[in-house]
Amino acid sequence: MFKLLFVCTGNICRSPTAHGVFRHLVARAGLADRLSCESRGTHGYHVGEPPDARAISAAAARGHELSDLRARRLSPADFTQFDLLLAMDHGHLGHMRAMAPPGGGRVALFLEEAGMGKGDVPDPWYDGPAEFEAVLDLCEAGCQALLKKLAP
Ligand code: 4NP
C-alpha cells in the first residue's frame, strides 16, 4: 500500500479537499487496495472539527464527499507512516521540512509533484465561494495527475 498525506494549515479547507478528491478518484479507478491517503494540518486550531461547510458543499456539488473527515494535526510520527507527504503551499512545505526526521517519507509540494508548476493552492479561509471553487479546480487537476503518476 502506497500512503499519501496532504497537509495544509488547519486541515479544514485545502488538504481535506485534496483528501476527499483523491480517495474518490482512487475508489473510482478500483485502486483502493494499492493507494490510500489521509490529511493533516500544521496547526491545531481546528482539531476534531469536520471540514469547513463551504469546502464540504463545494466538493459535494462535484460528487466528492468530505463530511466524514475530521481535522488532525501533523505529528512527527506521520513522517514515518506515509510514503509521500504533500504540502498545499510553500509555508507548509517549510514547516514540514523543518519537522521531518531523517529517513521518513518524501516531502514535496502538491502542485509540483502533480507536474503543475511550483505554485501554491491559495488559502480560501478568509474568502468566498469563488476561492473554494479555485481550490477544488486545483485539487481535481492535481489529484488526477498524481493518480496517473502513481498508477500509470
Ligand atoms: P486550510 O485553511 O489550511 O486550507 O484548512 C485554513 C483554515 C483555518 C485557518 C487557516 C487556514 N485558521 O487560521 O484558523
Side-chain angles (χ1 to χ4, degrees), residues 7-16 41-43 45-46 52 88-89 92 121-126 135:
V7 178
C8 64
T9 306
N11 194 208
I12 55 168
C13 300
R14 290 165 289 178
S15 63
T42 53
H43 292 73
Y45 318 124
H46 299 281
D52 187 284
M88 303 308 286
D89 73 24
H92 311 132
V121 177
D123 184 356
W125 172 249
Y126 296 103
V135 167

Side-chain angles (χ1 to χ4, degrees), residues 18-32 64 139-147:
H19 180 171
V21 167
F22 191 75
R23 73 174 172 178
H24 185 202
L25 297 179
V26 164
R28 220 165 53 184
L31 294 168
H64 311 296
C139 286
E140 285 187 331
C143 286
Q144 266 157 17
L146 267 180
L147 185 58

Side-chain angles (χ1 to χ4, degrees), residues 44-60:
Y45 318 124
H46 299 281
V47 166
E49 294 177 18
D52 187 284
R54 298 166 292 177
I56 292 177
S57 64

Side-chain angles (χ1 to χ4, degrees), residues 110-135:
F110 170 64
L111 289 178
E112 188 175 15
E113 191 66 18
M116 293 171 60
K118 296 188 180 198
D120 292 340
V121 177
D123 184 356
W125 172 249
Y126 296 103
D127 299 312
E131 285 74 18
F132 279 86
E133 291 300 324
V135 167

